[in-house]
Amino acid sequence: MRKNSVKNIRINSEIQRELSNIIRGEIKDPRISPMTTVVLVDVAPDLKICKAYISVLGDEQAQKDTIAGLKSAVGFIKTKLAKNVNLRNTPDIKFVLDQSIEYGVNMSKLIDDVNKNGD
């Protein structure tokens, strides 16, 4: 299966949706922030590895705690994912902190500050 095939794109979106549901509703770890979003999921073409890009709204400590909580719950998440998504192989999940949303908010704030001062 190629990386950008229709099947791979469909699997990525299905796993992203299920990961969001699992993180939001089924994990009870207090380290995981309630403002956690699954931004992107990238499953390898052989379905062995899955990179899940996670965005956390909060300070740096909340981001670290959330990633640590997700890494400790990876076995539970993989089990739930295997039950909800019918794939031959359930991929190993690697969580990656994505700070693009936070970067965009900061850039937007800087642009607004420059526009205010320029008037």
Side-chain angles (χ1 to χ4, degrees):
M1 179 173 53
R2 291 185 325 226
K3 187 164 179 75
N4 291 328
S5 68
V6 173
K7 182 179 177 184
N8 195 294
I9 292 169
R10 192 174 70 235
I11 289 171
N12 286 344
S13 64
E14 182 70 20
I15 290 180
Q16 180 179 356
R17 186 173 55 82
E18 287 300 324
L19 274 178
S20 296
N21 291 337
I22 292 168
I23 291 170
R24 184 174 6 96
E26 298 187 28
I27 297 179
K28 305 295 186 223
D29 193 337
R31 294 178 290 180
I32 297 174
S33 171
M35 300 300 286
T36 302
T37 306
V38 180
V39 178
L40 178 71
V41 171
D42 186 25
V43 180
D46 63 354
L47 302 178
K48 298 285 186 191
I49 298 174
C50 167
K51 284 186 182 177
Y53 294 91
I54 305 294
S55 175
V56 180
L57 188 63
D59 60 347
E60 189 173 329
Q61 186 61 39
Q63 293 172 352
K64 287 180 183 177
D65 289 345
T66 299
I67 293 296
L70 289 173
K71 285 182 180 178
S72 70
V74 74
F76 174 78
I77 294 170
K78 188 174 176 180
T79 302
K80 288 291 187 179
L81 191 64
K83 288 181 182 177
N84 296 339
V85 179
N86 187 16
L87 292 175
R88 180 176 296 150
N89 297 323
T90 303
D92 291 328
I93 304 168
K94 309 278 188 226
F95 292 105
V96 179
L97 184 63
D98 182 34
Q99 297 176 332
S100 62
I101 294 176
E102 182 180 344
Y103 178 77
V105 168
N106 287 338
M107 290 304 289
S108 178
K109 191 164 77 170
L110 289 173
I111 291 171
D112 289 344
D113 290 345
V114 167
N115 286 338
K116 267 186 206 173
N117 294 337
D119 291 340

